[in-house]
Amino acid sequence: MARILLLITTIFAISLLAAGDANFEASKRELNIPAIIMFFIFVAGTLAITYWAARRTKSASDFYTAGGGISGFQNGMAIAGDYMSAASFLGISGLVYLSGYDGLIYAVGFLVGWPVILFLMAEKLRNLGKFTFADIAAYRLGQKEIRTLAAFGSLSVVTLYLIAQMVGSGKLIQVLFGLEYEYAVILVGVMMIVYVTFGGMLATTWVQIIKAILLLSGVSFMGFMVLMHFGFSFEALATKAVETHTKGQAIMAPGGFISDPISAISLGMALMLGTAGLPHVLMRFFTVGNAKEARKSVVYATGFIGYFYLVIAVIGLGAIVFLNSPEGAKYFVDGKLFGGNNMAAIHLSHVVGGNVFLGFISAVAFATILAVVSGLTLAGASAISHDIYASVINKNATEEQEIRISKIAVIVIGIVGVLLGIAFEQQNIAFMVGLAFAIAASANFPILFLSIYWSKLTTRGAVIGGSLGLLTAVILVIIGPIVWVQILGNAEALFPYKHPALFSVTVAFVAIWFFSITDKSQRAKDERIAFEAQNVRAETGFGAEGAVSH
Amino acid sequence: MNEELVNKIKANPKYQELVSKRTSFALKLGIFVLVMFYAYILTIAFNPSIMGMKTGDGVMTIGFPIGAAIIIISFFTTLIYVKRANGEFEDLTNAIKEDVKDEL
């Protein structure tokens, strides 16, 4: 095991340096030595954690939920870590840099989902579930159908989210190491596969916690430096940003990014409901020992994430001021920000903290990507191994077989993520995350919500409604402005809105309702009767303790 | 959980108290957050210029403090919920458990 990890590290080191050499001349940046040192320290540290975790990961419960031994505070940190992804950090700061206030709308929407999850779902999820969110939906409904559908929902979300992270990582390493985009994406894919296949949820969680601490420290320092320059007056910072930005006062109000009422409502819905349907975040409710810890973890997570987004707004405005100054000119190539607008925070870190801090933030941003893609991949892999393989294909599967399938799935998802990451190189990553949220909100959330709250829900209703929600979201995205026009090159979009959630969530809810109430089968009757027992367990958690082995 | 036990728990007044108190509490807080968020989003949707109104002579608009306030209020509502859930509701759950522990 140790030898394998050592071998992999060596291969990385060699490929990294070799590739760096090959592209050094083509790159416009000096090789960033402090960043590379920080990067290797982080990689060594996380591989050590993975090695430690691998020795403790034996059962399926260890692999999916770290054996349920994570504390509320740790889990809150890890949830915050899953949330403060590269797409959030680089994407939202980039959005604020580009269009000011619009970035804050995303931040508010991403955060506000949390209280709602906590009030309506967190404990019920915790009380009913075991490893994945399909456990909950399949509690009294048809295992086979629900799990297959839930796995598709999970995989769609995971894939889109993964693309966003991969694109972020590629851009980042391009700027940081002067490495080709493709090499960067492959590097991330391989590292992630190593973390997840060997260390499972335990390694993934600890990598996430460490990264969350580093990221919070890093953005705090940046926010502090930016505000210090303005005597800790946000007003003074905003005034300077308005003077500097070409759009002037317009950056202080909602603007071009959210251009019409339907888009705004649709985006708001996707952000809020989508949070409750993110498979990699839902999985984290099962890593803690009991409902009390699960609740605590949401408070910590909301606190960290809220703080993070507030600081991001400062950083975005800071980037407007500092990068659009004469000294900031060196960060531009042909009038465009080097590495794209998503790199605004990275360049700002160089302005406020020099080479060493740039190295730190770059390494942290890279760590962020690794940690989040690891969590995502684990969620995707458990959808395949736990929900499809062990619950549908081979019901007599042993734990060893299930874990083996998980590991194969991790490798496949890793490869798919790399290929799609390369294909979607030019997309804004905050937008890609928005899409993932739309699907989570339209396919996962309605089934999850109704299975907890609505006694009349039947398998037929859930399967037809959930599928229609998923299909609607995917089709509307494909025929919408981003894919149909920007990627496929057609002149006009068939569906005029970038954000489909308003329509697809409605389709899902209406269809689930209609196909449930019209279901007169015996099975539907049994499922409605079974709601009582499910509800008692969801309220009290009795019988749920056995789900986690200690 | 068998049917008999389910009925026994459901008949327990503490269970009814737990469910009705927690449901109404969670619902109130949930509606509060939803109304707050959708009021914000709908304002942006139908009249974005409101968020662009200046608060004084400077560049500052009311959109920024409102956005920040929603983030901060969201945190405090989760805190309020968890304080009560981990105290009062947890105690009730444990009391119910005590009542039915032989059958669990």
Side-chain angles (χ1 to χ4, degrees):
Chain A
M1 178 69 210
R3 211 175 290 165
I4 295 170
L5 291 183
L6 185 70
L7 182 71
I8 292 165
T9 328
T10 318
I11 291 170
F12 273 144
I14 295 168
S15 61
L16 192 69
L17 294 175
D21 262 358
N23 298 292
F24 187 58
E25 285 190 6
S27 137
K28 295 181 180 67
R29 290 282 167 243
E30 295 274 311
L31 206 60
N32 181 344
I33 300 299
I36 292 172
I37 293 169
M38 299 260 186
F39 169 76
F40 275 107
I41 292 174
F42 182 82
V43 168
T46 49
L47 284 176
I49 290 171
T50 307
Y51 175 64
W52 165 79
R55 292 174 43 168
R56 276 161 189 76
T57 300
K58 293 182 183 74
S59 67
S61 166
D62 293 335
F63 189 77
Y64 296 129
T65 68
I70 304 290
S71 79
F73 179 78
Q74 291 165 346
N75 195 44
M77 220 31 164
I79 291 177
D82 269 326
Y83 230 65
M84 300 182 297
S85 62
S88 292
F89 172 46
L90 302 178
I92 294 184
S93 56
L95 210 53
V96 176
Y97 167 78
L98 188 69
S99 43
Y101 193 79
D102 286 342
L104 191 65
I105 301 173
Y106 269 83
V108 169
F110 279 132
L111 189 87
V112 147
W114 275 110
V116 177
I117 296 185
L118 174 69
F119 305 149
L120 301 177
M121 330 216 13
E123 26 205 307
K124 294 178 166 76
L125 293 173
R126 166 70 220 174
N127 289 339
L128 291 173
K130 197 175 170 200
F131 297 145
T132 66
F133 97 87
D135 290 336
I136 297 137
Y139 193 82
R140 74 187 147 106
L141 304 180
Q143 293 286 327
K144 203 170 160 183
E145 298 89 334
I146 295 293
R147 286 190 188 274
T148 309
L149 175 65
F152 272 107
S154 293
L155 285 171
S156 317
V157 174
V158 161
T159 311
L160 272 169
Y161 219 92
L162 202 56
I163 296 172
Q165 304 299 332
M166 287 293 191
V167 172
S169 65
K171 296 285 176 197
L172 186 72
I173 299 173
Q174 220 176 11
V175 174
L176 179 60
F177 299 106
L179 195 68
E180 286 289 335
Y181 179 83
E182 288 78 7
Y183 286 109
V185 172
I186 293 168
L187 182 73
V188 173
V190 176
M191 298 241 349
M192 167 206 92
I193 290 172
V194 171
Y195 290 152
V196 183
T197 47
F198 291 113
M201 190 54 144
L202 192 57
T204 306
T205 302
W206 276 104
V207 170
Q208 198 60 275
I209 291 171
I210 292 169
K211 158 243 145 158
I213 294 169
L214 294 176
L215 182 58
L216 284 168
S217 321
V219 296
S220 298
F221 177 74
M222 274 166 85
F224 179 83
M225 294 303 280
V226 167
L227 283 175
M228 196 169 75
H229 193 84
F230 293 96
F232 296 100
S233 160
F234 187 76
E235 171 89 44
L237 166 65
T239 308
K240 188 70 187 168
V242 167
E243 273 174 33
T244 314
H245 202 287
T246 48
K247 289 180 192 157
Q249 180 67 26
I251 62 164
M252 299 299 287
F257 214 77
I258 295 147
S259 47
D260 60 288
I262 302 280
S263 294
I265 298 167
S266 206
L267 175 68
M269 242 170 129
L271 293 180
M272 180 178 232
L273 303 182
T275 309
L278 291 180
H280 64 299
V281 174
L282 292 174
M283 263 187 106
R284 295 220 168 271
F285 286 108
F286 309 121
T287 62
V288 287
N290 53 50
K292 218 170 161 175
E293 295 296 313
R295 289 184 204 111
K296 274 191 212 163
S297 61
V298 179
V299 177
Y300 288 119
T302 315
F304 292 131
I305 299 166
Y307 168 76
F308 174 76
Y309 282 148
L310 291 176
V311 180
I312 286 289
V314 171
I315 290 176
L317 292 180
I320 295 176
V321 174
F322 288 102
L323 300 183
N324 293 316
S325 65
E327 299 78 47
K330 62 181 170 187
Y331 302 108
F332 287 83
V333 177
D334 303 331
K336 283 181 182 159
L337 201 57
F338 183 67
N341 289 318
N342 291 327
M343 289 302 123
I346 300 290
H347 295 315
L348 181 67
S349 71
H350 189 237
V351 178
V352 300
N355 268 328
V356 174
F357 187 64
L358 169 68
F360 176 80
I361 279 292
S362 307
V364 169
F366 184 70
T368 295
I369 291 159
L370 279 179
V372 173
V373 295
S374 300
L376 280 168
T377 308
L378 191 60
S382 30
I384 294 172
S385 62
H386 182 66
D387 295 328
I388 296 185
Y389 177 73
S391 305
V392 177
I393 296 175
N394 179 6
K395 284 190 178 161
N396 301 319
T398 61
E399 285 211 345
E400 286 76 27
Q401 283 175 311
E402 192 179 326
I403 295 177
R404 194 182 320 130
I405 296 291
S406 300
K407 292 184 175 178
I408 296 171
V410 168
I411 297 168
V412 173
I413 294 172
I415 295 169
V416 171
V418 167
L419 294 177
L420 292 176
I422 293 171
F424 282 77
E425 185 184 344
Q426 299 307 329
Q427 286 303 305
N428 174 296
I429 53 184
F431 172 74
M432 295 297 293
V433 173
L435 285 190
F437 270 69
I439 293 180
S442 346
N444 301 356
F445 176 76
I447 298 181
L448 197 58
F449 183 78
L450 292 175
S451 71
I452 292 175
Y453 281 100
W454 194 41
S455 62
K456 295 192 176 67
L457 178 71
T458 70
T459 303
R460 189 179 85 166
V463 169
I464 299 178
S467 312
L468 286 177
L470 179 65
L471 269 178
T472 312
V474 171
I475 290 172
L476 293 184
V477 165
I478 292 174
I479 62 172
I482 298 292
V483 176
W484 200 254
V485 180
Q486 290 180 19
I487 296 175
L488 298 178
N490 293 296
E492 210 165 316
L494 303 176
F495 175 72
Y497 305 110
K498 284 180 190 170
H499 307 286
L502 179 60
F503 304 94
S504 50
V505 172
T506 310
V507 165
F509 270 106
V510 170
I512 293 175
W513 167 79
F514 180 76
F515 289 102
S516 289
I517 57 155
T518 54
D519 190 350
K520 306 288 182 213
S521 63
Q522 182 56 43
R523 175 176 169 180
K525 283 186 188 115
D526 295 342
E527 285 167 355
R528 289 179 192 125
I529 292 167
F531 180 78
E532 290 298 334
Q534 178 199 305
N535 198 37
V536 168
R537 173 161 153 177
E539 293 284 357
T540 61
F542 298 163
E545 289 86 347
V548 176
S549 58
H550 290 282
Chain B
M1 239 186 278
N2 60 37
E3 201 179 321
E4 199 184 326
L5 180 59
V6 168
N7 289 330
K8 192 178 168 190
I9 295 174
K10 276 177 65 190
N12 188 327
K14 286 173 203 151
Y15 176 76
Q16 291 160 0
E17 187 190 345
L18 172 72
V19 172
S20 75
K21 274 190 179 167
R22 184 164 61 198
T23 308
S24 89
F25 187 51
L27 214 61
K28 276 179 205 152
L29 287 176
I31 289 172
F32 169 72
V33 172
L34 282 171
V35 167
M36 175 177 75
F37 178 63
Y38 278 100
Y40 174 70
I41 285 293
L42 291 176
T43 308
I44 291 168
F46 291 103
N47 204 345
S49 59
I50 292 180
M51 290 293 162
M53 284 191 320
K54 290 188 180 180
T55 54
D57 300 333
V59 299
M60 188 49 74
T61 54
I62 58 169
F64 272 92
I66 289 176
I70 295 177
I71 289 178
I72 294 165
I73 293 169
S74 297
F75 169 73
F76 280 103
T77 50
T78 60
L79 190 67
I80 292 167
Y81 178 81
V82 170
K83 282 273 177 231
R84 193 164 171 204
N86 276 2
E88 188 185 343
F89 299 154
E90 191 72 14
D91 293 344
L92 269 173
T93 308
N94 289 332
I96 302 164
K97 197 176 199 170
E98 192 62 27
D99 290 346
V100 297
K101 69 177 175 194
D102 298 334
E103 286 133 288
L104 271 179

